[in-house]
Amino acid sequence: MDHSYQVWQDVLAEEFFGRQHAGHPTLFYVDDDVERDLRHGYGLEEPLPSCVSRFLRLGTADPYSALDEYRWRQWKQDKQGVPAFLPLLACSVIAASRMMNDLNHRATTYHARFSELLTGDDKQLGSQNYEPISRMWQVLASWQHSQRGARGLCTLPAPADLPSNRSMIGFAQSQALLSGADRSFLPRLFRSLREHGTTWPLPGDALLAQIEIRGMEQHLSKNFRNALAENDFRPLLAKLIGNYAASWDGSDELVPTGVTRAELVVRLDAGRLSWVARLRSAEQPERIDLAGGVVLDRLGDTAYYEVTGLPTPDANTLSKGIRRNGDGLVLSRPAASVLVLARDDVLGVWAGTDGFRPGEAHVVLADPAARRDVQRLLDRAATSGRSADTGKLAWVPQGWSLHKPVVFNDTVTLRAALKEVQGAVGLLEPPVQFKLRLEGGLRLAPSLDRNLYLRGGEPQVVLPDTAEGTGVLLVDGKERPELRKAVAAGRPAPLAVLRLEPGRHTVSYAGATIEFATADQALVEPKADTVCGFTVGDGAASATPCVLDEGALAAGVTGATSRDAETAMELCRRDADEVLFAAADGRLWTLRAPDQPDWWTERLPDTPAPLRFEAGFHGIGGWLLERRNGRWKGRPVNPGTPNPRNTGNPRAWAQAVLNAQQASVEPSWAAYVQAAKELNR
């Protein structure tokens, strides 16, 4: 790849997935006008299509393999970065924006326009070559979901939501339904509907109906009007515009350029409702001051802030929404007639959530206008919490109904009920899953391997939202009956129930495979930023410790390790009456057997204590002496020539050597005995 391709990648990443979109729906809309404006605005010399076309491998089964390989190389350098195939996907959106009747093509023709855009020939790239691009769209969607809204809220549809005849090109077409001018017009549309006191947010179907009833489609783009008239794409358009309505906070713009949004979240703790703010920005200051005396104070090392200076959550603030401005930041919560709370792992209490989580408990609050929709949904799909709680709880907003604990054990039934009921709850679908992935579990040593789990603490496997019957869940190549019920209900399948043996395992579904490993324990070496020890010069260690730099570390003494000499390891008897080490330089040590650890008998109750223990000698020579039953035995440890006059306690050394002078008949030991006699004269 040359520099121009990476520049286009950086421009598209910043323009459409920059942090200024945090908490807002993002649409990757690129047409010929947008491409020209970006090229001129950023000073790019080469047009986007020609930049991409130079790296196509035409005539092969996968013409886009070079671009995908480049994406993998970039991913290895930055695993959190935007997948590096945005220029190719932008071209696929440009092709979708060109779909209209002309002298050569029908309005429904896509691949001819895509091929013509990149090759100049409408037959070079066909539908048989397009599958890799549809996979790239799903990778992009998975990445955006993994950022938890910090790079914008994903607007790509799930594969199951696409019309059957648009299963591959539908991703690009979904991004071409709303132009920039359309999105600028939406706040005016939403405000006009809100002024009539309707329950908010309205579901997408109701919004489209209102647009048609009021004749407002004339203010929207041709692509929008075409999708509105097409039965296959109308549901997708409804979902897209409904999501925009659910995130609209009452401002004049959906995403003010350069302005960070802090989201207001309702918290339920100790029997009262309060506000916290969530900031998805890369920069998270400790304190933020806003207009009207509103102050945000960061909660520890999290993305959450304690909020003071706002009225407490009640029927009025929840149903009308709140917005406060600051310097380059807006604190807001869209108006909503339904409030769903779930346990938040970071806060440790109940907190507002964007959608239902299958298998988990929820608290559901609904204002009078939305009460009927909520009850219909719970009657059709909830496992528990169908009946409203009639207790008079002080924290429940006046006039609102309460259901708890609400649990949905069957994701398939929940999705079907949400589509049927629509109304105020139609936007609370579980997050879309685009690929097979692991969730939860007890990671044993993330620094060694992020997919290494404690045996018995295996993760759950989350299946992608594909059409039913497209695959069978296999674990280590076998279908597991214990998981069938969870798979049929569309919930994460818990792998811990399989009682897998330690080792590597595979999970496969619909052609995708992921790997993980289990173990009973893992040894993790501690990492230290600084190393303390003793410098070594001319074979001698310094008298005082210090922080060792890289130059001193290679030859320094750290802990029990000398880096400039080999370690001699000797086995000493535990049943010896006395164990001494007489060094060649006159120092004398008494060696004692280490205590047996407490866990020894717990894990190995039938194993006798070993007869010996280890003693390490680092860069020093001498004789190891053991006394048993009144007799001494000795063996050399790099003995060298004895010179006991300069260091240690020469008198004690000499007495110990003379007491053990019968320990060996080797000549080197005789030299030690002779040196001891000379000292003792």
Side-chain angles (χ1 to χ4, degrees):
M1 292 297 158
D2 64 5
H3 179 65
S4 63
Y5 183 91
Q6 184 58 48
V7 171
W8 266 113
Q9 166 71 21
D10 295 340
V11 166
L12 295 170
E14 175 59 28
E15 191 74 17
F16 295 99
F17 302 99
R19 294 188 180 276
Q20 71 271 21
H21 299 297
H24 294 274
T26 55
L27 208 65
F28 192 18
Y29 181 85
V30 186
D31 59 14
D32 293 301
D33 292 336
V34 171
E35 188 274 341
R36 184 175 57 253
D37 291 343
L38 290 175
R39 180 156 35 96
H40 293 163
Y42 285 91
L44 303 177
E45 295 182 1
E46 187 172 16
L48 176 60
S50 63
C51 176
V52 173
S53 64
R54 285 190 291 109
F55 303 104
L56 298 181
R57 292 172 175 170
L58 299 176
T60 65
D62 185 359
Y64 320 107
S65 57
L67 302 173
D68 202 25
E69 291 166 4
Y70 179 70
R71 188 264 299 194
W72 278 110
R73 292 197 299 271
Q74 294 299 106
W75 178 81
K76 290 178 181 178
Q77 299 176 16
D78 181 9
K79 291 182 171 58
Q80 295 300 317
V82 188
F85 40 52
L86 293 186
L88 177 60
L89 297 188
C91 289
S92 73
V93 179
I94 293 175
S97 72
R98 291 182 176 183
M99 292 175 68
M100 62 184 70
N101 285 317
D102 56 27
L103 296 177
N104 299 317
H105 308 294
R106 299 190 307 271
T108 56
T109 303
Y110 174 83
H111 293 289
R113 288 180 170 82
F114 183 60
S115 179
E116 193 173 52
L117 174 70
L118 291 181
T119 70
D121 182 347
D122 61 4
K123 295 182 175 60
Q124 281 266 25
L125 299 173
S127 59
Q128 72 276 9
N129 305 122
Y130 198 80
E131 185 177 353
I133 297 181
S134 69
R135 291 200 302 267
M136 292 178 190
W137 278 111
Q138 294 178 65
V139 169
L140 176 63
S142 294
W143 168 82
Q144 197 172 14
H145 280 292
S146 73
Q147 301 299 305
R148 301 185 182 277
R151 298 298 188 92
L153 303 177
C154 182
T155 59
L156 285 167
D161 291 333
L162 292 173
S164 58
N165 62 337
R166 314 284 179 86
S167 59
M168 289 192 293
I169 67 175
F171 297 109
Q173 287 182 289
S174 73
Q175 302 302 285
L177 296 179
L178 291 176
S179 68
D182 291 336
R183 283 170 289 158
S184 298
F185 175 73
L186 288 181
R188 292 167 51 193
L189 169 66
F190 297 156
R191 183 173 289 107
S192 67
L193 297 176
R194 280 282 307 280
E195 289 175 352
H196 289 81
T198 57
T199 300
W200 196 262
L202 285 175
D205 284 346
L207 288 168
L208 295 184
Q210 289 292 330
I211 290 174
E212 291 173 316
I213 292 171
R214 295 164 180 259
M216 302 183 80
E217 64 268 28
Q218 61 181 328
H219 300 290
L220 296 162
S221 66
K222 187 171 183 178
N223 282 341
F224 184 96
R225 297 197 300 271
N226 290 339
L228 191 62
E230 189 175 344
N231 289 334
D232 282 343
F233 253 81
R234 188 180 175 106
L236 192 58
L237 183 60
K239 180 173 290 188
L240 185 63
I241 196 172
N243 288 337
Y244 271 101
S247 65
W248 178 60
D249 61 7
S251 62
D252 293 333
E253 296 180 79
L254 285 171
V255 183
T257 303
V259 175
T260 302
R261 180 187 173 203
E263 303 164 80
L264 269 178
V265 178
V266 179
R267 173 180 58 185
L268 172 59
D269 185 22
R272 72 183 188 94
L273 296 179
S274 59
W275 298 112
V276 290
R278 179 170 54 202
L279 188 61
R280 305 182 197 259
S281 171
E283 296 182 3
Q284 294 178 329
E286 294 299 317
R287 178 186 171 98
I288 302 173
D289 294 291
L290 302 176
V294 177
V295 178
L296 310 184
D297 290 302
R298 193 176 179 191
L299 293 172
D301 189 21
T302 72
Y304 285 99
Y305 288 75
E306 190 75 40
V307 180
T308 56
L310 283 180
T312 58
D314 56 18
N316 183 56
T317 54
L318 292 175
S319 60
K320 293 185 178 180
I322 291 182
R323 178 184 172 91
R324 294 292 187 275
N325 297 323
D327 184 13
L329 182 140
V330 171
L331 174 69
S332 66
R333 181 185 185 274
S337 53
V338 177
L339 172 64
V340 178
L341 306 171
R343 298 292 298 187
D344 188 284
D345 293 336
V346 177
L347 296 174
V349 296
W350 297 93
T353 182
D354 296 330
F356 293 114
R357 304 172 185 172
E360 296 187 21
H362 305 81
V363 174
V364 180
L365 297 161
D367 75 2
R371 187 175 302 165
R372 181 172 174 270
D373 293 333
V374 169
Q375 190 62 61
R376 289 173 61 208
L377 173 69
L378 300 183
D379 288 342
R380 283 165 170 74
T383 308
S384 65
R386 296 182 181 181
S387 299
D389 191 324
T390 57
K392 300 296 183 180
L393 299 175
W395 55 269
V396 177
Q398 186 175 4
W400 286 45
S401 62
L402 167 67
H403 294 262
K404 67 176 180 69
V406 175
V407 179
F408 300 95
N409 277 333
D410 192 317
T411 309
V412 177
T413 302
L414 172 60
R415 289 187 186 277
L418 286 168
K419 290 180 180 178
E420 178 185 350
V421 173
Q422 283 290 311
V425 294
L427 301 166
L428 294 170
E429 287 193 49
V432 177
Q433 307 299 333
F434 285 87
K435 65 179 181 179
L436 188 69
R437 64 182 179 87
L438 300 176
E439 179 181 79
L442 299 175
R443 286 191 171 90
L444 193 55
S447 61
L448 296 178
D449 184 352
R450 284 191 55 80
N451 285 333
L452 176 63
Y453 296 88
L454 180 67
R455 185 188 180 195
E458 292 85 358
Q460 301 179 101
V461 57
V462 180
L463 304 186
D465 291 337
T466 53
E468 294 183 33
T470 58
V472 176
L473 180 63
L474 303 177
V475 180
D476 295 335
K478 300 177 182 178
E479 186 177 2
R480 302 301 180 103
E482 305 96 313
L483 303 180
R484 287 177 186 167
K485 188 175 181 180
V487 172
R491 289 184 288 135
L495 298 176
V497 302
L498 301 179
R499 301 183 181 276
L500 299 171
E501 292 296 321
R504 301 208 68 82
H505 303 280
T506 61
V507 179
S508 304
Y509 181 80
T513 300
I514 52 178
E515 295 184 352
F516 69 99
T518 59
D520 290 318
Q521 61 180 352
L523 298 177
V524 183
E525 295 185 4
K527 295 182 180 180
D529 295 331
T530 57
V531 179
C532 296
F534 299 84
T535 58
V536 174
D538 297 328
S542 63
T544 57
C546 63
V547 176
L548 301 179
D549 57 26
E550 290 188 7
L553 188 60
V557 178
T558 60
T561 302
S562 174
R563 302 293 178 91
D564 65 336
E566 295 184 0
T567 299
M569 188 66 66
E570 295 291 331
L571 297 178
C572 308
R573 294 188 65 101
R574 284 182 176 271
D575 58 350
D577 299 322
E578 191 174 6
V579 181
L580 301 176
F581 181 73
D585 60 4
R587 288 178 289 178
L588 181 71
W589 285 276
T590 299
L591 306 184
R592 292 183 173 84
D595 294 334
Q596 184 172 285
D598 295 338
W599 53 262
W600 185 276
T601 53
E602 294 176 4
R603 295 191 178 185
L604 303 169
D606 299 327
T607 304
L611 295 177
R612 301 182 184 276
F613 66 91
E614 293 180 347
F617 302 93
H618 310 273
I620 190 170
W623 273 78
L624 183 64
L625 307 171
E626 294 178 337
R627 180 172 61 84
R628 294 176 63 226
N629 301 323
R631 296 184 59 185
W632 286 92
K633 288 188 176 181
R635 57 184 183 274
V637 181
N638 301 323
T641 301
N643 184 18
R645 296 182 180 275
N646 299 326
T647 60
N649 186 342
R651 295 294 177 183
W653 182 89
Q655 189 61 47
V657 171
L658 292 176
N659 289 341
Q661 57 183 303
Q662 304 300 324
S664 176
V665 294
E666 289 191 19
S668 66
W669 177 242
Y672 275 68
V673 174
Q674 182 60 37
K677 289 179 178 179
E678 293 177 358
L679 278 175
N680 213 28
R681 288 176 182 171

